[in-house]
């Protein structure tokens, strides 16, 4: 059976940390949907369309990777896409605690799903979208923290 994974996130914006997780997960799955979602608790800097466009720049021409968006529960989206796996990245113990609860609740709601975690590469541990957003807001250079192929317009 085809191994289909959803990599859900806000990706506001996509960073080298996200890119690395997707690249490393390609050996595990036949198809990875990078699913840009809405997070009610987060104030987005980039529009949904911009966030998707940035990620498309990175994976253009790669048939295994598709950029999509979704609203609502991640497990409902997984069901609609026939995905059996949720891919997430872990940086810190704080990430683990947050992700653990979500993954366990998702599993309780839908037994057909497994969440697969990849540990971040050490050099990506401090990279997070909210710091990147702050740097952008203040006119700083984020080129070290976003994928080479990504051109941010702001
Ligand atoms: P969310 O709003 O769902 O937390 P994010 O866009 O912040 O979405 O992150 C999506 C996923 O990528 C999460 O699993 C997060 O832990 C992971 N992630 C974010 N930054 C990094 C990084 N630097 N290294 C590894 N994983 C990361």
């Amino acid at each position: 059976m085809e191994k289909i994974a959803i990599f859900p996130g806000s990706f506001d914006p996509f960073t080298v940390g996200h890119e690395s997780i997707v690249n490393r997960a390609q050996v595990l799955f036949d198809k990875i949907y990078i699913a840009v979602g809405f997070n009610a608790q987060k104030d987005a800097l980039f529009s949904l369309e911009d966030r998707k466009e940035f990620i498309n720049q990175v994976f253009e021409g790669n048939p295994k990777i598709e950029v999509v968006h979704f609203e609502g529960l991640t497990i409902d989206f997984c069901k609609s896409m026939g995905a059996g796996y949720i891919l997430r990245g872990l940086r810190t113990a704080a990430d683990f605690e947050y992700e653990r609860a979500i993954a366990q609740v998702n599993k309780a709601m839908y037994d057909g799903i497994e969440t697969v975690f990849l540990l971040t590469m050490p050099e990506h541990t401090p990279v997070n979208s909210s710091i990147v957003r702050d740097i952008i807001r203040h006119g700083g250079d984020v080129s070290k923290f976003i994928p080479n192929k990504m051109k941010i317009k702001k």
Side-chain angles (χ1 to χ4, degrees), residues 7-11 15 17-18 21 39 42 88-91 95 99 120 124 127 129:
F7 183 39
S10 313
F11 307 119
T15 68
H18 298 130
I21 296 291
N39 186 334
K42 291 190 180 175
R88 296 288 284 179
L90 290 178
R91 288 161 294 188
D95 271 357
E99 298 288 344
T120 189
H124 295 147
V127 179
S129 296

Side-chain angles (χ1 to χ4, degrees), residues 50-116:
D50 281 351
R51 285 182 269 159
K52 286 174 68 181
E53 158 67 24
F54 295 155
I55 307 169
N56 272 320
Q57 290 169 4
V58 181
F59 297 104
E60 214 167 28
N62 183 336
K64 225 180 211 191
I65 313 292
E66 208 171 307
V67 185
V68 294
H69 67 269
F70 75 107
E71 263 183 284
L73 289 179
T74 307
I75 50 160
D76 288 340
F77 184 63
C78 290
K79 285 179 194 168
S80 74
M81 303 301 277
Y85 304 90
I86 295 173
L87 174 65
R88 296 288 284 179
L90 290 178
R91 288 161 294 188
T92 60
D95 271 357
F96 172 77
E97 277 307 318
Y98 175 74
E99 298 288 344
R100 180 188 55 75
I102 294 175
Q104 288 174 333
V105 168
N106 279 338
K107 182 74 178 165
M109 289 193 295
Y110 176 39
D111 197 35
I113 202 79
E114 292 293 349
T115 303
V116 173

Side-chain angles (χ1 to χ4, degrees), residues 3-36:
K3 287 194 167 63
I4 302 173
I6 303 284
F7 183 39
S10 313
F11 307 119
D12 184 34
F14 200 76
T15 68
V16 285
H18 298 130
E19 179 187 32
S20 166
I21 296 291
V22 172
N23 282 337
R24 290 162 57 210
Q26 288 191 56
V27 295
L28 302 175
F29 302 109
D30 300 306
K31 179 93 193 175
I32 301 173
Y33 291 102
I34 303 176
V36 184

